[in-house]
């Protein structure tokens, strides 16, 4: 059963990517509330810390299946990478009446939640509830997400660069074909479909569509429906037209959150590394850099993963690029490196 977004010409001109630290923070909190077989290294080191943060009121609004209040994750605004502080300010500005309606709807989907002491407390004073959950999101950000944010941001921006290139090479058809298995695009109908456990059709009104790569949504894509957002296991709602919005916003772009490329190796060490033959050919560190570029990455991200000095990684990347094994392109303030077909074949043969 799909959610279908019908895009007009004005919407197609306003499709964009954004990276959201608030969405990652909300996703991290959700991953802690419903731990699964993903992000295990991060979960193992974060769960003991999270247990001391008192996140229960926030977790109560994050059911494994069902509705998560829209005001917890407003659409990214204010540039391609808004600051966490700016995004959290929008959460804090939520109208209490909107907050109460969304909280009530979320609690109603979990048997007994509305009648629990924590649920009654959230409903009794929605203005205080907004302050409480915003404060908890701030704790999750500062304690559990911000320390890893440079690494997360590098991966997310590399994903945006990858998909932007696919858009340039093959238009929306190629972009959506590679975004996620749940997402499909019909050029003839001008309709983007997201396979979810409910049906809904939304006709966009020229506000466009925002695509948000995420680490913590992986391996799902997040979707929902106007007035009826819902997520699968480990997912929150994706904003579609007509949602409650922060402070009752209207005319904001719908959002689809999809898993970023390269998440599978994000929390792992360099692993077994290159083979002895490849290390003898290129040198151990240079071979490790080439092997680690299974997904596009920046110098900073590679240095963090390999435990090498950024200056050393930069020198190795320059040599590999000059040898025709890598290509590079700029994503705003960073240079992202990607293996060429020759580099990929060499890395594959050297494992």
């Amino acid at each position: 059963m799909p959610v279908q977004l019908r895009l007009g010409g004005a919407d197609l001109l306003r499709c964009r990517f954004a990276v959201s630290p608030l969405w990652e923070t909300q996703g991290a909190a959700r991953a802690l509330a419903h731990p699964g077989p993903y992000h295990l290294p991060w979960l193992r080191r974060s769960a003991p810390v999270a247990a001391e943060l008192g996140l229960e009121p926030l977790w109560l609004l994050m059911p494994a299946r069902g509705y998560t209040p829209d005001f917890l994750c407003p659409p990214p605004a204010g540039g391609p990478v808004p600051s966490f502080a700016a995004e959290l300010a929008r959460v804090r500005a939520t109208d209490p009446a909107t907050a109460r309606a969304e909280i009530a709807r979320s609690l109603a989907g979990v048997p007994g939640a509305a009648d629990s002491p924590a649920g009654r407390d959230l409903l009794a004073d929605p203005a205080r509830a907004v302050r409480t959950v915003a404060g908890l999101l701030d704790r999750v950000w500062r304690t559990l997400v911000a320390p890893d944010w440079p690494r997360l941001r590098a991966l997310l921006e590399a994903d945006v660069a990858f998909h932007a290139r696919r858009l340039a090479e093959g238009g929306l058809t190629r972009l959506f074909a590679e975004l996620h298995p749940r997402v499909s695009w019909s050029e003839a109908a001008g309709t983007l479909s997201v396979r979810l456990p409910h049906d809904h059709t939304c006709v966009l009104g020229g506000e466009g569509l925002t695509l948000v790569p995420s680490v913590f949504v992986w391996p799902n894509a997040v979707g929902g429906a106007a007035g009826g957002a819902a997520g699968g296991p480990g997912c929150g709602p994706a904003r579609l037209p007509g949602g409650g919005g922060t402070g009752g916003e209207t005319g904001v772009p719908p959002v689809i959150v999809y898993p970023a490329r390269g998440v599978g190796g994000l929390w792992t060490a360099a692993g077994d590394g290159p083979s002895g033959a490849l290390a003898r050919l290129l040198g151990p560190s240079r071979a490790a850099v080439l092997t680690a570029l299974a997904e596009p990455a920046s110098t900073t991200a590679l240095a963090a993963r390999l435990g090498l000095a950024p200056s050393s990684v930069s020198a190795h990347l320059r040599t590999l690029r000059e040898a025709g094994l890598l290509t590079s392109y700029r994503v705003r303030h960073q240079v992202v490196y990607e293996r060429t077909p020759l580099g990929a074949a060499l890395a594959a043969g050297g494992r």
Side-chain angles (χ1 to χ4, degrees), residues 254-285:
V255 172
I256 291 179
V257 184
Y258 66 92
R261 292 166 53 87
V263 173
L266 178 65
W267 306 117
T268 62
D272 295 333
S275 70
L278 188 61
R280 288 192 296 273
L281 177 66
L282 299 177
S285 296

Side-chain angles (χ1 to χ4, degrees), residues 32-73:
L32 289 161
H34 308 287
Y38 315 112
H39 315 295
L40 288 179
W42 181 85
L43 285 169
R44 290 190 188 106
R45 65 179 167 86
S46 300
V49 179
E52 304 298 320
L53 298 181
L55 300 178
E56 289 76 13
L58 181 61
W59 287 340
L60 190 62
L61 300 177
M62 294 179 169
R65 289 183 179 274
Y67 174 74
T68 295
D70 287 343
F71 75 86
L72 291 180
C73 38

Side-chain angles (χ1 to χ4, degrees), residues 312-333:
S312 175
V313 171
S314 179
H316 293 317
L317 289 168
R318 183 169 58 252
T319 300
L320 292 168
R321 183 179 59 187
E322 291 172 352
L325 303 180
L326 302 180
T327 185
S328 64
Y329 48 92
R330 181 168 291 277
V331 181
R332 289 184 290 277
H333 64 289

Side-chain angles (χ1 to χ4, degrees), residues 97-243:
T98 297
R100 192 187 191 286
E102 294 183 0
I103 290 170
R105 182 177 167 200
S106 180
L107 296 176
V110 179
D115 293 327
S116 67
R120 290 197 301 268
D121 190 54
L122 290 171
L123 290 169
D125 190 340
R128 184 179 63 193
V130 169
R131 293 193 298 270
T132 297
V133 296
L136 293 176
L137 286 170
D138 190 39
R139 289 185 196 176
V140 175
W141 164 257
R142 288 186 287 107
T143 307
L144 302 176
V145 179
D148 290 313
W149 182 242
R151 190 178 185 184
L152 297 174
R153 176 171 175 167
L155 185 144
L156 297 171
E157 291 190 325
D159 177 90
V160 170
F162 173 86
H163 287 295
R165 292 177 67 192
R166 294 302 180 267
L167 176 63
E169 293 166 356
L172 290 172
T173 299
R174 183 165 186 182
L175 168 64
F176 290 130
E178 298 184 9
L179 201 64
H180 192 271
R182 286 185 181 179
V183 177
S184 60
W185 167 250
S186 171
E187 185 172 2
T191 299
L192 181 67
S193 298
V194 186
R195 294 197 307 276
L196 292 166
H198 56 276
D199 288 303
H200 194 87
T201 298
C202 298
V203 179
L204 276 63
E207 63 268 40
L209 176 68
T210 301
L211 302 171
V212 181
S214 173
V215 167
F216 287 104
V217 78
W218 192 87
N220 300 298
V222 174
C235 296
R239 179 178 302 278
L240 300 177

